[in-house]
Amino acid sequence: MTAFARRARASAGRMHPELSLVSYTLLGHLEERDGCRATDLAAHYALDKSTVSRQVAALERAALVERRVDPDDHRVQVLHLTEAGREILAQVTESRRAAFQERLADWPDEDLVRFAGYLARYNAPGTDRS
């Protein structure tokens, strides 16, 4: 798991040197949810609000995220990906997909099926013990 995380951090740094793996995780969440509040990010990932604030500030400086007023509650600001944010996230996704395909290219089908099953089991609801 440590090697996997190390590779992911290195891959993130190659795509955009100013951004961390956490930043890419937050970008992915914003894309998946079509935007959310910074407090929602902190709660979802069990991160300190100051940590999320620093990450969001870096994403804003890089013009990957923008704040918009919530149409239902004008007191609330919702974070959304910019077009540049969507592009960098798509690049990262494609780079990761290519890296996985390269690493798994010579695996036999039965190993791939078993591996996929293990990943599904690992990521299944109710398995988060943190």
Side-chain angles (χ1 to χ4, degrees):
M1 293 304 289
T2 301
F4 180 78
R6 193 175 298 126
R7 275 195 302 275
R9 279 192 299 275
S11 174
R14 284 191 302 274
M15 292 305 295
H16 199 296
E18 296 176 26
L19 301 179
S20 68
L21 180 59
V22 172
S23 294
Y24 285 109
T25 303
L26 299 182
L27 287 175
H29 188 85
L30 291 175
E31 180 183 52
E32 184 180 300
R33 298 278 196 270
D34 195 27
C36 70
R37 299 176 306 163
T39 54
D40 296 333
L41 288 172
H44 181 79
Y45 290 105
L47 294 170
D48 187 78
K49 289 178 187 177
S50 65
T51 300
V52 171
S53 180
R54 283 191 303 275
Q55 295 294 328
V56 167
L59 293 170
E60 286 179 307
R61 281 192 304 276
L64 302 177
V65 167
E66 65 185 0
R67 294 176 190 265
R68 297 183 199 158
V69 174
D70 185 334
D72 296 328
D73 184 346
H74 295 324
R75 299 169 297 171
V76 175
Q77 292 188 338
V78 179
L79 301 168
H80 288 273
L81 293 181
T82 62
E83 193 56 40
R86 289 186 192 288
E87 289 174 13
I88 195 79
L89 193 57
Q91 289 173 7
V92 169
T93 300
E94 183 54 37
S95 175
R96 284 186 180 162
R97 183 174 289 124
F100 284 131
Q101 287 174 340
E102 183 179 322
R103 291 184 68 87
L104 301 174
D106 62 347
W107 285 33
D109 287 346
E110 58 272 8
D111 286 354
L112 290 171
V113 168
R114 198 171 318 131
F115 183 57
Y118 292 147
L119 286 174
R121 181 174 159 195
Y122 181 80
N123 288 309
T127 59
D128 183 19
R129 310 266 193 271
S130 56

